[in-house]
Amino acid sequence: QGPTSGPQPTTARSASAGYTGKQDTTPVVLCQNGSFTGQAGPPFSGGQPGLAAWVRWTNAHGGLAGHPVTVDSKDDAQDNNKALQNVQNCVQNEHAASLIASFMPVTADAVGSYVQQHKVPVIGGDAVTRLWFQNPYFFPQSDPSPSDAYGGVAAWKAAGKKAGAVIYCAELADCTNTANRVRDAAAKAGIPIKGSYQVTIANPSYTSQCGDMKSNGVEAVYVNVDGPSLQRLARDCNAIGFHPLYTTGGLALDANAVADDKNLEGLTVATSVWPWMTATTPAMKDFQTAMSTYAPDVTPSESAAISWTSGQILVAAISKLGNAARTQPITSALILQGLGMIKDDPMGGLTMGKVTFTAGKPTAEHYCWGLATLTGGQWSAPQGSGYTCAT
């Protein structure tokens, strides 16, 4: 593995620059569906204000090829039936041209067949389940969740850890898949796995797992559970004098909620978009400015950054269409056409790796990640806004 930096543009992408011809001003209707409440909700809490900030920023800068943007954000509360009802209402009643910034780690499968049948693009979101890389109407802004596993183990190696463990949830098949990737990545890195534990996120105590890992000489733990479970794990391990390096994926927890937890000092997360606390390119600075302007009471987070990046992918797709986007209503078909024209685009550094979509085909998998580390109650980016890719 080695650090990779994609080329960065010198100016931020404009939503409407470079077009000529008679302007159509029909609004572009978008929908966001996510599990914003319930047990899975906290890590996605920034997804709604992040998208709302993108909409206001985009409209303040000319809209999408001159079209004003509206968005309806819906909560499915982790209910498959509710998710399908939300999406059906978006498409059939609100005539949404696209779903955008959708956080559906439990409910994506419930809507996959429907959006494919109706040829409605789903642009950006959690990208957790396999569906994001199997359904040709899903357009993820990031690489699949195994990237988190590779990133977590890379952090172990960088810190000189000699033995690792993995703790993963029983509730989602993806947790098992990610645990398998941790084992594979650790084997390639030459770090033995000395503990593997499948647990329920309802588990009130992890003292037995902590004791076992301490006895086995574990120095680093990849944790694929929710944020409250990670905090209970760190609490119980700290209580017996066991202080490993914890690593996980950035969407596994509400980063702002755990920042003051002293048991998680040194926690390192693999990010699916650029580390949200950095601003080294114009595109990143636009995000920080938009959040401070339109969501001043919201602390930026990975979910907010994912929503912003999802919106900027739509901007990129529209920019490919030229006058076709400016002189007629923007439809699902037009958006799909533009998305299929995006090739090797670094999105101004917002994505970890370059974005490529091919019309009618699922998005190819690559494994790239950024890193963020919690030190003294503050998040920082140990490798800046750059990214690393598995080889």
Side-chain angles (χ1 to χ4, degrees):
Q1 299 176 343
T4 307
S5 294
Q8 310 301 342
T10 57
T11 58
R13 191 192 308 270
S14 169
S16 59
Y19 296 114
T20 60
K22 185 178 179 180
Q23 176 71 62
D24 182 283
T25 58
T26 305
V28 182
V29 180
L30 306 173
C31 258
Q32 177 184 47
N33 183 68
S35 299
F36 298 114
T37 57
Q39 196 165 34
F44 309 141
S45 60
Q48 290 177 301
L51 185 61
W54 173 80
V55 170
R56 295 185 67 182
W57 172 272
T58 300
N59 285 335
H61 290 78
L64 289 171
H67 298 267
V69 181
T70 65
V71 65
D72 183 7
S73 182
K74 299 178 183 292
D75 178 22
D76 66 29
Q78 298 178 248
D79 182 281
N80 285 328
N81 291 330
K82 181 65 172 176
L84 182 57
Q85 290 171 4
N86 285 349
V87 174
Q88 287 174 330
N89 186 56
C90 285
V91 174
Q92 295 170 206
N93 298 328
E94 299 179 29
H95 307 294
S98 178
L99 269 69
I100 193 163
S102 298
F103 294 86
M104 307 181 292
V106 178
T107 58
D109 287 339
V111 306
S113 295
Y114 180 84
V115 297
Q116 186 165 1
Q117 177 186 356
H118 291 269
K119 300 181 179 180
V120 176
V122 181
I123 304 174
D126 61 90
V128 166
T129 64
R130 301 298 307 145
L131 186 69
W132 283 91
F133 300 89
Q134 295 171 340
N135 189 316
Y137 288 87
F138 278 64
F139 297 86
Q141 82 294 327
S142 67
D143 291 330
S145 56
S147 299
D148 298 341
Y150 290 122
V153 172
W156 295 359
K157 189 172 183 178
K161 303 304 181 183
K162 304 300 184 184
V166 57
I167 295 180
Y168 59 103
C169 76
E171 285 77 7
L172 293 175
D174 183 72
C175 290
T176 300
N177 295 335
T178 300
N180 290 336
R181 295 298 181 119
V182 171
R183 298 184 192 101
D184 291 343
K188 291 178 181 178
I191 302 174
I193 295 292
K194 294 190 174 181
S196 183
Y197 313 90
Q198 187 178 48
V199 299
T200 172
I201 59 176
N203 194 341
S205 172
Y206 295 98
T207 300
S208 63
Q209 289 87 358
C210 293
D212 193 55
M213 289 188 289
K214 184 178 182 182
S215 297
N216 289 337
V218 168
E219 297 179 356
V221 186
Y222 187 91
V223 187
N224 198 8
V225 295
D226 64 336
S229 296
L230 171 58
Q231 289 185 276
R232 292 196 300 276
L233 172 70
R235 175 203 65 195
D236 294 343
C237 289
N238 182 65
I240 64 169
F242 178 52
H243 309 287
L245 169 64
Y246 297 105
T247 62
T248 189
L251 276 183
L253 47 80
D254 181 346
N256 296 319
V258 305
D260 293 330
D261 191 334
K262 292 181 173 56
N263 294 324
L264 291 175
E265 178 74 11
L267 169 66
T268 298
V269 301
T271 66
S272 61
V273 290
W274 91 103
W276 65 91
M277 73 296 302
T278 63
T280 58
T281 72
M284 299 172 195
K285 293 174 183 177
D286 285 348
F287 165 77
Q288 302 292 352
T289 301
M291 290 297 291
S292 63
T293 302
Y294 300 116
D297 297 329
V298 177
T299 302
S301 62
E302 178 160 1
S303 55
I306 286 173
S307 287
W308 180 269
T309 304
S310 302
Q312 290 304 96
I313 289 175
L314 177 57
V315 170
I318 296 303
S319 73
K320 298 289 186 182
L321 298 169
N323 289 339
R326 187 175 180 85
T327 58
Q328 62 182 305
I330 294 177
T331 63
S332 297
L334 270 180
I335 292 173
L336 287 167
Q337 180 183 341
L339 287 166
M341 298 166 70
I342 295 176
K343 308 295 180 187
D344 293 324
D345 192 330
M347 293 293 157
L350 300 180
T351 56
M352 301 292 89
K354 299 176 183 179
V355 175
T356 295
F357 300 126
T358 301
K361 294 184 179 181
T363 301
E365 296 185 26
H366 303 284
Y367 303 106
C368 301
W369 62 88
L371 289 176
T373 298
L374 184 61
T375 307
Q378 299 292 325
W379 286 98
S380 62
Q383 59 184 28
S385 59
Y387 58 84
T388 305
C389 296
T391 57

